[in-house]
């Protein structure tokens, strides 16, 4: 089994999402000792945002310049790494009501027709099914308990939609919100997230075993 561990927070050791992804990966490895882990730090290794030079995987045109060849190679490496992974653990802090731009840039490289989805006469069909995605979702405020908060949130909702578009139906969230609302609120959020890690890893493990059988 191969697990891809992706972090995107720009706050280094102060990042709550990085703490949670590390604990999630450790919990998964404890349940699956033979798991191979690859690590991608998008704060340090973010792909460039889509541009005219990086659209080769969408146009199908051969690269004409060294820049285009490098961009095509990067897109191929990222989508191949993603497709080879059985489990993807993603750290996704809420930045300005959405995800970090580094994480969006990575997802944009994965969204390749013919690789992660295809178009048909009945609409798009995902090609990357059978994977488990566990997202460490962190938020300074509380968004999940009110209609107003839910309307402002384009983090978990976006990730669920885009991975669903890729055909992944097993998308799980380990959430810590209110982490900027004082020490007590942060401690409570982390405690809740720790319990969620255990619950989600067990549930994902059962789902994986059911698919294998």
């Amino acid at each position: 089994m191969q697990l891809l561990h992706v972090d995107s927070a720009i706050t280094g050791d102060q990042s709550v999402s990085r703490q949670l992804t590390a604990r999630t990966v450790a919990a998964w490895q404890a349940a699956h000792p033979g798991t191979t882990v690859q690590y991608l730090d998008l704060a340090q290794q973010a792909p460039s945002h889509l541009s005219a030079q990086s659209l080769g995987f969408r146009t199908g045109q051969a690269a004409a310049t060294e820049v285009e060849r490098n961009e095509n190679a990067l897109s191929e490496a990222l989508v191949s790494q993603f497709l080879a992974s059985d489990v993807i653990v993603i750290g996704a802090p809420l930045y300005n009501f959405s995800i970090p731009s580094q994480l969006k840039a990575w997802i944009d490289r994965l969204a390749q027709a013919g690789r992660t989805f295809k178009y048909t006469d009945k609409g798009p069909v995902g090609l990357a099914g059978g994977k488990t995605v566990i997202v460490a979702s962190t938020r300074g405020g509380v968004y999940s308990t009110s209609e107003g908060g839910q309307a402002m949130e384009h983090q978990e909702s976006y990730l669920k939609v885009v991975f669903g578009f890729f055909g992944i139906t097993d998308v799980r969230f380990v959430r810590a919100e209110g982490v900027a609302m004082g020490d007590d609120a942060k401690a409570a959020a982390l405690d809740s997230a720790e319990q969620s890690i255990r619950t989600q890893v067990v549930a994902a493990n059962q789902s994986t075993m059911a698919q294998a059988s």
Side-chain angles (χ1 to χ4, degrees), residues 7-12 18 39-47 102:
D7 278 325
S8 64
I10 62 174
T11 49
R18 287 175 180 269
Y39 181 60
L40 182 59
D41 188 340
L42 294 174
Q44 301 296 324
Q45 300 170 277
Q102 294 90 340

Side-chain angles (χ1 to χ4, degrees), residues 52-54 56 61-74:
Q53 287 73 40
S54 59
Q61 295 179 351
T65 68
E66 185 67 23
V67 171
E68 290 177 353
R69 284 190 286 274
N70 290 339
E71 292 289 349
N72 288 352
L74 176 59

Side-chain angles (χ1 to χ4, degrees), residues 49-172:
H49 294 290
L50 290 183
S51 67
Q53 287 73 40
S54 59
L55 284 177
F57 65 86
R58 294 194 175 183
T59 65
Q61 295 179 351
T65 68
E66 185 67 23
V67 171
E68 290 177 353
R69 284 190 286 274
N70 290 339
E71 292 289 349
N72 288 352
L74 176 59
S75 295
E76 175 59 31
L78 291 174
V79 75
S80 294
Q81 181 185 51
F82 176 78
L83 290 172
S85 302
D86 304 292
V87 182
I88 301 96
V89 176
I90 301 171
L94 181 75
Y95 287 176
N96 298 320
F97 311 113
S98 186
I99 61 173
S101 62
Q102 294 90 340
L103 181 56
K104 177 63 164 58
W106 176 69
I107 292 171
D108 284 343
R109 298 302 183 114
L110 304 182
Q112 299 189 27
R115 305 298 298 282
T116 51
F117 70 95
K118 66 179 179 180
Y119 292 112
T120 73
D121 58 354
K122 294 185 170 105
V125 175
L127 300 176
K131 303 180 186 300
T132 293
V133 173
I134 304 176
V135 179
S137 164
T138 55
R139 304 163 173 182
V142 176
Y143 294 81
S144 66
T145 58
S146 68
E147 289 185 8
Q150 292 166 13
M152 295 165 67
E153 180 273 307
H154 305 284
Q155 168 207 32
E156 293 181 10
S157 55
Y158 167 72
L159 293 171
K160 189 171 184 178
V161 167
V162 74
F163 287 120
F165 185 79
F166 293 167
I168 302 173
T169 57
D170 190 11
V171 181
R172 303 172 182 274

